Amino acid sequence: MIGVESILRELEAALAEAQTPEQVELVRVRFLGRKGTITLLGKETDFRSLGPEERRTFGSQLNELKRQAEELIAAALADRRQRAQARAEAEARAKLDLTLPGKDRRLGALHPITLVQMEMEAIFEGMGFMVLTGPEVETEYYNFDALNIPPDHPARDMQDTFWLEGGLILRTHTSANQVRALERYGAPLRAIFPGRCFRYEAMDASHENTFYQLEGLVVDRDISVANLIAVMKALLGEVFQREVKVRLRPGFFPFVEPGFELDQQCPFCQGNGCSVCKHSGWIELIPCGLVHPKVLEAGGVDPHKFSGFAFGMGMTRLAMLKFGIPDIRLFNSGDLRFCEQFPVVL
Ligand code: DAH
């Protein structure tokens, strides 16, 4: 009754011509749209003229035809969409020019002071030290008085100071942390204090007004110079990865008694003399000493029960030695070409 086969074949031929999803949609409208061939078939047939048997056959044929037509169209649509996608990808690939130079993605780097500080902290933490910090804007009391440097003491002139309003100063050394830590933690105590220090100085290749120190403080019962030397040798052994020869010379600092300058046998010439050690065979490295009883007292620690040692390393100087940096002004230059030479290897 209905030319099902011929309509389906007509539909297949139309779909075969449709190259894009949009063209498939046009075919759908042509067959199944409001005025489409198959839709009209249902609308234009006068059902009343058909007998009951014919009506049923016609109805089921029409439904089957619609179902098959929808299936064919859906399959064609999926196929054309996939092809359109593949075409778009091929086009994008064709546009990719492999001869263009790549994007410059810079590797991050840590500042050499940061690298030295991280190394120091790891070494001292391994020996049971706490890592503490204190304020850069400091009181005269912690920076000088508590360290046995009274107002008229000539040692105040050794460290030219930046004065702020209200009697505050920029700390001239990390030693300012010593009494703060003793007040807070008492004895026994094992701590290091890395940090930035400031001095009112004219700048040149070896002088900066802003630099980094790393202070150390150990307070316990029966601490002696032997403990100081042992810790310093352990530290330098870790930094230089071999046994390091050291010597102590007397040095004066009001907050230690006795006070020393710890020299290290020059690691560049093994003590034979070179330009780094100015041909002396030794490098002046770490001022240190046994904590003065007055400093312990200022921190509320009884000097009859406890003793201690302290040291103040120049971290900036250590970084110069370690990386062979010739001019101290490079550290604060903010020049990326400088910092980028110390890539992080984790
Ligand atoms: N604070 C001193 C300075 O900046 C360095 C120093 C010397 C620190 C002896 C110490 C020490 O802890 O015991 O020149």
Side-chain angles (χ1 to χ4, degrees):
M1 288 203 312
I2 303 179
V4 175
E5 285 306 318
S6 68
I7 293 179
L8 284 178
R9 235 164 284 127
E10 200 186 322
L11 172 62
E12 276 169 346
L15 285 175
E17 302 230 322
Q19 301 296 321
T20 66
E22 294 73 24
Q23 288 167 351
V24 172
E25 171 62 11
L26 291 179
V27 175
R28 189 192 66 76
V29 171
R30 203 175 112 202
F31 284 84
L32 293 172
R34 250 183 332 118
K35 292 182 183 160
T37 316
I38 296 175
T39 314
L40 290 182
L41 213 58
K43 280 190 185 160
E44 285 170 1
T45 302
D46 183 4
F47 284 88
R48 276 164 305 175
S49 67
L50 300 174
E53 187 59 27
E54 282 174 316
R55 216 181 283 173
R56 217 173 301 125
T57 317
F58 182 86
S60 70
Q61 275 187 342
L62 187 61
N63 282 340
E64 179 60 17
L65 175 60
K66 266 192 198 158
R67 195 189 62 71
Q68 287 196 33
E70 275 164 6
E71 224 169 65
L72 286 171
I73 290 167
L77 192 62
D79 174 72
R80 302 307 183 275
R81 280 196 180 134
Q82 203 186 333
R83 283 199 224 169
Q85 165 100 19
R87 257 198 313 276
E89 280 170 14
E91 242 166 66
R93 260 198 305 280
K95 272 191 204 144
L96 182 69
D97 183 350
L98 292 175
T99 64
L100 286 175
K103 282 209 178 106
D104 178 15
R105 292 189 201 279
R106 294 186 169 200
L107 262 195
L110 291 181
H111 193 280
I113 296 283
T114 309
L115 290 174
V116 170
Q117 181 175 335
M118 282 164 58
E119 184 182 2
M120 292 290 137
E121 288 180 4
I123 293 170
F124 279 107
E125 277 172 342
M127 293 193 276
F129 283 66
M130 291 193 284
V131 179
L132 301 175
T133 54
E136 294 177 347
V137 172
E138 194 41 288
T139 61
E140 258 186 279
Y141 175 73
Y142 287 113
N143 197 84
F144 295 122
D145 304 77
L147 294 172
N148 193 30
I149 313 175
D152 53 356
H153 198 287
R156 288 212 182 190
D157 301 335
M158 280 160 45
Q159 302 184 355
D160 297 301
T161 308
F162 283 114
W163 292 88
L164 307 175
E165 281 170 20
L168 294 170
I169 59 169
L170 293 181
R171 69 175 173 205
T172 60
H173 54 181
T174 44
S175 305
N177 289 298
Q178 288 193 15
V179 170
R180 284 184 176 277
L182 288 173
E183 282 176 350
R184 182 148 181 194
Y185 297 100
L189 179 72
R190 234 185 274 181
I192 55 165
F193 312 88
R196 187 158 56 160
C197 304
F198 309 85
R199 287 189 201 171
Y200 186 54
E201 295 213 25
M203 276 165 59
D204 61 33
S206 50
H207 294 87
E208 243 286 12
N209 52 36
T210 303
F211 55 96
Y212 287 79
Q213 289 187 337
L214 188 140
E215 190 83 6
L217 177 64
V218 171
V219 176
D220 211 328
R221 294 177 197 276
D222 302 322
I223 291 292
S224 70
V225 176
N227 301 116
L228 167 64
I229 294 174
V231 168
M232 294 296 97
K233 284 195 79 159
L235 165 69
L236 296 173
E238 284 287 335
V239 173
F240 292 95
Q241 287 297 307
R242 59 181 166 77
E243 165 120 30
V244 169
K245 278 215 174 98
V246 298
R247 72 177 185 190
L248 290 182
R249 285 180 294 117
F252 173 71
F253 306 94
F255 37 95
V256 282
E257 179 58 37
F260 305 107
E261 293 284 358
L262 184 139
D263 296 345
Q264 174 193 348
Q265 193 176 64
C266 180
F268 298 98
C269 63
Q270 267 60 258
N272 294 324
C274 67
S275 62
V276 177
C277 61
K278 302 199 185 88
H279 303 283
S280 71
W282 295 90
I283 292 183
E284 185 178 317
L285 205 59
I286 309 176
C288 53
L290 295 190
V291 181
H292 197 289
K294 282 198 171 169
V295 175
L296 293 174
E297 264 168 18
V301 172
D302 184 350
H304 300 290
K305 290 189 184 144
F306 290 97
S307 52
F309 68 80
F311 54 90
M313 275 189 283
M315 255 206 301
T316 302
R317 218 171 82 80
L318 199 66
M320 290 174 83
L321 265 182
K322 185 177 164 85
F323 296 116
I325 296 166
D327 191 324
I328 196 171
R329 290 168 293 195
L330 287 166
F331 287 99
N332 295 337
S333 65
D335 190 335
L336 281 182
R337 291 170 306 176
F338 172 66
C339 292
E340 280 171 350
Q341 296 176 53
F342 310 93
V344 192
V345 184
L346 292 176

